[in-house]
Amino acid sequence: MTPIPNAYKKVPMMFRAQILGRSQLHYIDPQKKKDGEKQDVQYWAEEWIEKAEFIPLTNQDDSQNDTYQTQTYQIRWRFVTNGGQDDGMIRPVIGGYGIPFYPGSSMKGAFRQACEQAEQAGIIPPNHCNIYCGDETNVTPGILRFQGAYPINDWTENLVDLVHPQAGWQVKIQNTKGKNQLKGESAYALVSLAKPTLRFGISSIKPLSAEQWQEIWQIWQYAIAAGLGIRVSAGYGQIETDSTSILYQVRVKGQGQAAKLIDDTGEFRPNIFRASLRGHALRLFGGLTDAQTAEELVEQLFGGVRGNGTVGLLKLGFKTGELRLGTFGQNGYEQPTYNVEGDMIWSLTRPLPDDQHVALQNLVTDLIWFAMVFGGFGKSWRRADHRLFYPDDEYEKLIGCHWQWAGEIDRKNAFRIWHPTKVSKFINSVLDTAKTWMELQGNPPNPDHHANWRESWHPSRVQVWGRLAKNRDECVAIDWLHKPYQQGILRGEPDKSIKRTSVTGELGQIGRLWHRMYPPKLLWIKKEGKLQRKSTNRFIELLTLFPDQSPEFQEFVEFLQQKPDGFELLWGGQ
């Protein structure tokens, strides 16, 4: 018998061994990307779609009778339930005929948990959970059968997704050049459904009244509002009609560099807000306590995978109002862009005592405002958007982002930070909020033993400099990132620059400087002897520094101490 050459290539990716040379679904091969070849996971997805059958959409209406009913929900962004089959890669559960689905067992677990919480809260009468789901103590079956859910829209688009852990890279490491990359900081592939419309089914072994079905779907509404599937705290599995307890909701708009999918198309990913708040929480706690305690506090809020894993207290939702995707750049520097406006919504995943609920609400609010004041969200958040503050004809690369408040502004918080002189008080109030939360968790602050991270928010490690700019044309520091900030005075004396130093960083090296043009929108003015509120187009120009011992950094700090263009030290540097 003649052997089949390269026989393994005829085996679908789904059935190949997860080893080099056969199939590595989670791994993004940079050489393949450079050569324009498809990744293994892309072949996997194509092979899946090719063989999967599709549900005909002849009946768009939900079923309604006394023994079987369905309800349909739209997922806001992405959805995935881990199939647990392919080593190293997260992908949906796949049922008969290749159709992805949400298992009935998962649905029953979510329903029972929500039902028990509803019983405890007195929303439904006692013992209804045992009637619906069964009495586990007496091993008595319940009357309901949970059929799970399947997508009824086209679920085949944009299946290949990415997860890119960044906390260590962004916050912790001390930037020893050439040794920056931490294990686990690369991008990994996963497969998830993009904005699927899911139809859920529940049946009963006996006929039920309309009132009973109404109660059942009300319980399921509580269950689904907490998020479905995995990566819920990162914004996955959120429905459009979210009825959970909202801690803080605010409307924002921004522009910047969009994330790239494996095929290099752009996508706006709402989990940039979670990544930002998680990173800033790590910085703030890292300046108030030791590294281990800081990480535990952050995992309590946002979830984590250490040990047995932690389900975080916070859940992100983002309701997109407007979204435009495009491109910017030329001569090999083309990058996908986004312009977006929408509501950022942070909710609780489970009830808390009243004092902790209030403290967490304050903490989430302050984290959002801290992130907005000092940076932004998503790629290149450490820089102001060069398209707004640096002439297009001078710079062709896409650098920075710009975010601002939209809609009805939160006046109470807006007046905490409307002028450079308010920055110090604002930072201290954010730290006080974090301290209050720590004390309620039994972890009193201990800033004398703070984390030894590059960006721990401690006055000995960080300096915040600022000035007031009347308009966007008065942005000063953006020039210093690309040109000498000080010309040589004596003959032969070199110009002083921070470009491609540890201050600004370079390819493969995170810098130690954030530059932000924050638009406060409102300010106080004195008119006829009285303080009055007024809208404004001014900006607070901020430089946040995490100095090291390099000569370039020391010289730059000495330059700032001369108060160029009105820059003053607003916080830190102790």
Side-chain angles (χ1 to χ4, degrees), residues 468-574:
L468 191 64
K470 293 180 181 179
N471 52 58
R472 75 184 197 183
D473 294 329
E474 282 198 359
C475 179
V476 171
I478 200 164
D479 270 339
W480 301 343
L481 304 177
H482 306 288
K483 303 173 183 177
Y485 61 83
Q486 191 174 67
Q487 302 292 328
I489 299 175
L490 301 176
R491 180 179 296 178
E493 183 180 9
D495 297 339
K496 292 183 178 179
S497 173
I498 55 175
K499 184 178 181 180
R500 293 179 180 170
T501 67
S502 65
V503 184
T504 56
E506 55 183 310
L507 186 64
Q509 181 182 22
I510 293 288
R512 292 172 170 266
L513 176 150
W514 307 348
H515 177 226
R516 169 67 162 144
M517 293 290 285
Y518 171 68
K521 294 294 186 183
L522 296 174
L523 53 75
W524 287 102
I525 60 170
K526 205 166 191 179
K527 189 174 182 179
E528 299 177 354
K530 295 182 179 180
L531 285 175
Q532 296 184 9
R533 294 176 294 206
K534 179 184 177 183
S535 60
T536 180
N537 292 321
R538 293 181 179 182
F539 294 86
I540 302 175
E541 185 169 13
L542 294 165
L543 286 174
T544 304
L545 308 178
F546 299 88
D548 61 12
Q549 301 303 313
S550 67
E552 296 87 357
F553 221 127
Q554 299 304 314
E555 290 175 352
F556 185 60
V557 171
E558 290 172 4
F559 167 71
L560 289 175
Q561 289 170 348
Q562 300 171 25
K563 300 183 178 181
D565 296 285
F567 269 101
E568 294 191 44
L569 180 63
L570 306 177
W571 194 87
Q574 301 174 9

Side-chain angles (χ1 to χ4, degrees), residues 31-304:
Q31 189 59 47
K32 286 184 178 180
K33 191 173 182 66
K34 183 179 179 181
D35 295 341
E37 297 180 18
K38 292 181 180 179
Q39 302 289 338
D40 289 352
V41 67
Q42 290 175 289
Y43 285 115
W44 185 97
E46 289 175 358
E47 292 169 352
W48 174 25
I49 295 170
E50 181 184 359
K51 299 299 182 182
E53 294 193 11
F54 295 89
I55 299 171
L57 304 183
T58 54
N59 180 14
Q60 288 291 326
D61 297 327
D62 286 308
S63 299
Q64 304 290 334
N65 59 55
D66 56 4
T67 59
Y68 177 72
Q69 293 197 4
T70 64
Q71 291 282 355
T72 302
Y73 298 87
Q74 171 74 49
I75 299 295
R76 280 183 181 151
W77 177 41
R78 284 187 173 272
F79 172 74
V80 62
T81 54
N82 190 5
Q85 296 288 326
D86 298 300
D87 183 34
M89 187 185 75
I90 297 172
R91 56 95 164 158
V93 178
I94 300 175
Y97 306 102
I99 299 170
F101 75 105
Y102 179 67
S105 57
S106 299
M107 186 178 181
K108 180 180 179 181
F111 182 94
R112 185 174 196 105
Q113 183 179 33
C115 186
E116 290 173 350
Q117 291 176 353
E119 274 190 357
Q120 293 170 5
I123 298 173
I124 63 173
N127 202 43
H128 272 215
C129 293
N130 288 338
I131 295 173
Y132 291 144
C133 300
D135 188 340
E136 295 177 347
T137 304
N138 298 320
V139 197
T140 305
I143 63 171
L144 298 183
R145 301 294 180 263
F146 297 89
Q147 312 298 327
Y150 57 89
I152 62 170
N153 60 342
D154 184 0
W155 51 268
T156 62
E157 298 294 324
N158 297 324
L159 285 173
V160 181
D161 192 6
L162 291 175
V163 58
H164 198 172
Q166 286 276 297
W169 170 250
Q170 294 279 350
V171 179
K172 300 178 183 178
I173 59 174
Q174 291 292 341
N175 263 11
T176 302
K177 191 172 181 181
K179 299 180 180 179
N180 277 340
Q181 194 74 8
L182 293 182
K183 185 178 181 181
E185 296 294 312
S186 301
Y188 298 96
L190 70 151
V191 175
S192 62
L193 307 183
K195 297 184 178 180
T197 300
L198 300 177
R199 178 164 291 167
F200 296 84
I202 301 176
S203 62
S204 172
I205 61 175
K206 65 178 184 179
L208 299 176
S209 66
E211 291 74 18
Q212 288 174 304
W213 277 115
Q214 183 179 5
E215 181 179 81
I216 289 167
W217 286 115
Q218 181 185 21
I219 295 169
W220 180 240
Q221 181 69 30
Y222 295 143
I224 200 173
L228 292 176
I230 61 174
R231 296 184 58 77
V232 169
S233 62
Y236 287 58
Q238 309 293 330
I239 61 170
E240 288 289 356
T241 53
D242 194 335
S243 63
T244 54
S245 175
I246 295 174
L247 289 171
Y248 191 66
Q249 177 173 345
V250 66
R251 194 167 183 87
V252 296
K253 65 178 179 179
Q255 62 180 55
Q257 182 178 344
K260 285 184 180 180
L261 296 174
I262 287 182
D263 60 4
D264 284 341
T265 57
E267 180 188 49
F268 175 73
R269 301 175 66 85
N271 60 357
I272 61 175
F273 303 112
R274 176 182 179 270
S276 176
L277 263 64
R278 185 183 183 115
H280 287 313
L282 198 59
R283 292 178 181 92
L284 293 168
F285 289 134
L288 295 172
T289 187
D290 63 89
Q292 181 176 341
T293 304
E295 292 196 59
E296 290 172 354
L297 286 164
V298 169
E299 289 192 355
Q300 180 191 24
L301 296 177
F302 298 95

Side-chain angles (χ1 to χ4, degrees), residues 352-363:
L352 286 176
D354 290 345
D355 57 344
Q356 294 195 35
H357 184 104
V358 172
L360 185 54
Q361 190 170 37
N362 293 336
L363 180 60

